[in-house]
């Protein structure tokens, strides 16, 4: 049976996520409607602008269905704004979110100088070779609950974490040609 991965396609980098996933041999479906969630094995939540994304999720009636699917066991992989959506707590924010992961997130957390930057960072879960992480107005995880495993810390900030079948990254793995994090999601997190 083919593995089918949904990609939330309301905003931003859906296309970029398609490439590594298809390269890894799974089929993908763009999620724009609650019916698109039927039959998917996991869902990717790409980056974008979190406030807009939250509003679009409500407008397209996807917020509750995705939150519900997540609570029932649908594996989720959120990158950047997608990570913010997954967080139970977001500093100074009341906006709509899925609220599934036991993390507290600070948005746009790297300040103006570091609006956007790239760094090769060690992620032991992905092997010895560092991962080229691209940050764009990135958030970070300020606090994580006991059930959360940090997979990458940099300068005291958690930038990649897993909680059971949820994976959240502050950076954009889909903008590199390194598919190791998508592979980790498919093989370790979503299996
Ligand atoms: N800064 C954005 C936000 O807080 C996230 C940026 C991104 O997804 N690249 O919504």
């Amino acid at each position: 049976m083919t593995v089918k991965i949904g990609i939330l396609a309301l905003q931003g980098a859906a296309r970029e996520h398609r490439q590594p996933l298809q390269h890894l041999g799974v089929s993908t479906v763009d999620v724009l409607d609650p019916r698109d969630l039927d039959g998917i094995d996991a869902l990717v939540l790409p980056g974008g602008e979190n406030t807009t994304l939250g509003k679009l999720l409500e407008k397209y009636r996807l917020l509750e269905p995705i939150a519900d699917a997540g609570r029932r066991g649908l594996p989720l992989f959120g990158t950047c704004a997608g990570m913010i959506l997954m967080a139970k707590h977001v500093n100074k924010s009341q906006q709509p979110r899925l609220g599934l992961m036991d993390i507290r997130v600070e948005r746009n957390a790297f300040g103006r100088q570091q609006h956007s930057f790239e760094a090769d960072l060690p992620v032991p879960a992905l092997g010895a070779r560092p991962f080229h992480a691209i940050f764009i107005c990135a958030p970070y995880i300020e606090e994580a609950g006991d059930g959360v495993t940090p997979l990458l810390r940099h300068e005291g900030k958690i930038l990649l974490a897993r909680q059971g079948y949820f994976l959240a990254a502050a950076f954009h793995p889909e903008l590199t040609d390194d598919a190791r994090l998508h592979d980790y999601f498919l093989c370790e997190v979503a299996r």
Side-chain angles (χ1 to χ4, degrees):
M1 209 174 66
T2 332
V3 175
K4 194 163 97 175
I5 309 295
I7 305 175
L8 183 67
L10 295 176
Q11 211 201 23
R15 183 162 42 97
E16 286 77 1
H17 276 285
R18 238 175 265 148
Q19 239 167 356
L21 290 168
Q22 290 176 356
H23 170 78
L24 292 166
V26 298
S27 72
T28 61
V29 57
D30 284 356
V31 171
L32 286 157
D33 182 278
R35 278 168 301 187
D36 298 329
L37 298 169
D38 292 346
I40 60 171
D41 299 295
L43 176 65
V44 173
L45 307 165
E49 202 283 321
N50 196 253
T51 311
T52 313
L53 204 51
K55 285 184 187 150
L56 286 171
L57 279 168
E58 284 192 322
K59 183 169 169 212
Y60 284 78
R61 296 190 167 75
L62 275 163
L63 192 72
E64 256 322 298
I66 293 176
D68 196 46
R71 284 189 292 263
R72 289 161 183 256
L74 183 72
L76 299 178
F77 179 18
T79 58
C80 205
M83 171 174 110
I84 304 170
L85 274 181
M86 289 168 76
K88 280 199 179 143
H89 311 284
V90 181
N91 289 339
K92 301 189 260 345
S93 163
Q94 300 301 323
Q95 73 212 38
R97 69 179 77 101
L98 302 169
L100 294 167
M101 249 180 112
D102 194 11
I103 53 176
R104 171 177 298 282
V105 164
E106 173 77 15
R107 290 178 66 185
N108 301 315
F110 290 88
R112 282 214 180 147
Q113 309 301 325
Q114 287 185 311
H115 182 76
S116 178
F117 65 101
E118 305 184 14
D120 289 317
L121 301 173
V123 182
L126 302 182
R129 187 161 46 91
F131 195 87
H132 187 70
I134 300 177
F135 297 84
I136 305 170
C137 300
Y140 71 83
I141 299 173
E142 192 177 83
E143 255 172 44
D146 288 344
V148 178
T149 308
L151 298 171
L152 166 62
R153 277 182 204 269
H154 180 61
E155 295 175 354
K157 300 175 168 76
I158 302 171
L159 301 175
L160 175 67
R162 170 184 183 174
Q163 181 176 8
Y165 53 90
F166 298 142
L167 181 67
F171 51 91
H172 288 270
E174 77 285 6
L175 299 182
T176 65
D177 50 18
D178 187 341
R180 281 181 297 159
L181 195 54
H182 289 83
D183 191 30
Y184 177 80
F185 175 62
L186 295 179
C187 297
E188 300 292 333
V189 179
R191 76 203 161 108

